[in-house]
């Protein structure tokens, strides 16, 4: 089963509109070659930077994603952004359920599920994040935690929808810490995730779902991680903030 590699940069709360455009323009130069046709490249800036980055990325192979979306279509939800607002702004992807949102903003599997349905209804391509905490890994609970997140997060989703959802496996203990899961540990966990998806949606759908690894991925470790059978790309924080490091990581992930 061949799945197209997808590398997405999660800028988190970094980059003004001007800084975001500068980064995208530098990436356009580095990633102009048709040799990048067989990888999906996505950048996910903060909301206030999205519009400028959509413009800057136009006509290039760089796709744009948001970092969150609200589940309601419209209404009294001060500070929130709807899926339709993102879609009509030229946004294609959206990250849902990042561990920082689960940790600091009360995100649960139920809210992930509601946001996911809203994103799909608006025609956005979701990147749904799952992952275990350090104490859960150390307590031997990783598979159980991931299974719960998968069953709750993807409840009520059709197989057809699932086949186009990207899952990002991000062990929370590896995010921003410089600690990466070894390729073996990451592969073992990705295989478990695919097995759970198979139990819910069948083998054909599970075989189509792209599962990214995230957590201190950089040029140095991207090649070995993406070479694993069930690792189909990466969700990148720190190393996505500079054109040099992001482009170098993409090259390594592609085995160049
Ligand atoms: P990191 O972040 O690459 O800086 O560890 C990854 C993420 O949180 O998506």
């Amino acid at each position: 089963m061949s799945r197209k590699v997808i590398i997405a940069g999660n800028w988190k709360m970094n980059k003004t509109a001007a800084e975001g455009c500068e980064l995208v323009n530098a990436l356009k130069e580095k990633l102009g070659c048709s040799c990048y046709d067989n990888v999906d490249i996505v950048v996910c800036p903060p909301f206030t930077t999205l519009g400028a980055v959509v413009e800057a990325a136009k006509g290039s192979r760089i796709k744009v994603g948001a970092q969150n979306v609200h589940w309601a279509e419209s209404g009294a939800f001060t500070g929130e952004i709807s899926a339709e607002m993102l879609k009509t702004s030229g946004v294609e992807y959206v990250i849902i359920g990042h561990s920082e949102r689960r940790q600091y903003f009360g995100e649960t599997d139920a809210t992930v599920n509601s946001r996911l349905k809203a994103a799909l209804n608006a025609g956005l391509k979701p990147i749904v994040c799952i992952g275990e905490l350090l104490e859960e890994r150390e307590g031997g609970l990783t598979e159980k935690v991931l299974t719960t997140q998968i069953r709750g997060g993807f409840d009520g989703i059709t197989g057809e929808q699932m086949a186009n959802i990207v899952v990002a496996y991000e062990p929370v203990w590896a995010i921003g810490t410089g600690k990466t899961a070894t390729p073996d540990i990451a592969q073992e966990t990705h295989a478990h995730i695919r097995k759970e998806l198979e139990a819910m949606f069948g083998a054909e759908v599970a075989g189509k779902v792209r599962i990214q690894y995230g957590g201190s991925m950089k040029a140095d470790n991207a090649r070995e991680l993406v070479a694993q059978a069930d690792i189909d790309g990466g969700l990148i924080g720190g190393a996505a903030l500079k054109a040099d490091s992001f482009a170098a990581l993409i090259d390594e992930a592609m085995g160049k």
Side-chain angles (χ1 to χ4, degrees), residues 10 12 98-100 170 174-177 214-217 235-239:
N10 173 12
K12 308 193 179 183
H98 190 276
S99 68
E100 284 148 18
E170 301 202 301
I175 296 178
T177 57
S216 299
M217 199 194 247
L235 182 57
I236 322 299

Side-chain angles (χ1 to χ4, degrees), residues 202-229:
E204 197 188 331
V205 169
K208 286 183 182 161
V209 177
R210 293 185 290 177
I211 309 175
Q212 298 175 311
Y213 171 80
S216 299
M217 199 194 247
K218 42 189 185 299
D220 288 354
N221 55 29
R223 181 178 299 247
E224 240 194 312
L225 284 163
V226 178
Q228 304 300 313

Side-chain angles (χ1 to χ4, degrees), residues 185-197 211 230:
I185 289 179
Q187 165 54 30
E188 193 187 18
T189 316
H190 279 233
H192 170 74
I193 293 167
R194 206 176 295 286
K195 206 179 82 212
E196 279 303 320
L197 292 173
I211 309 175
D230 288 294

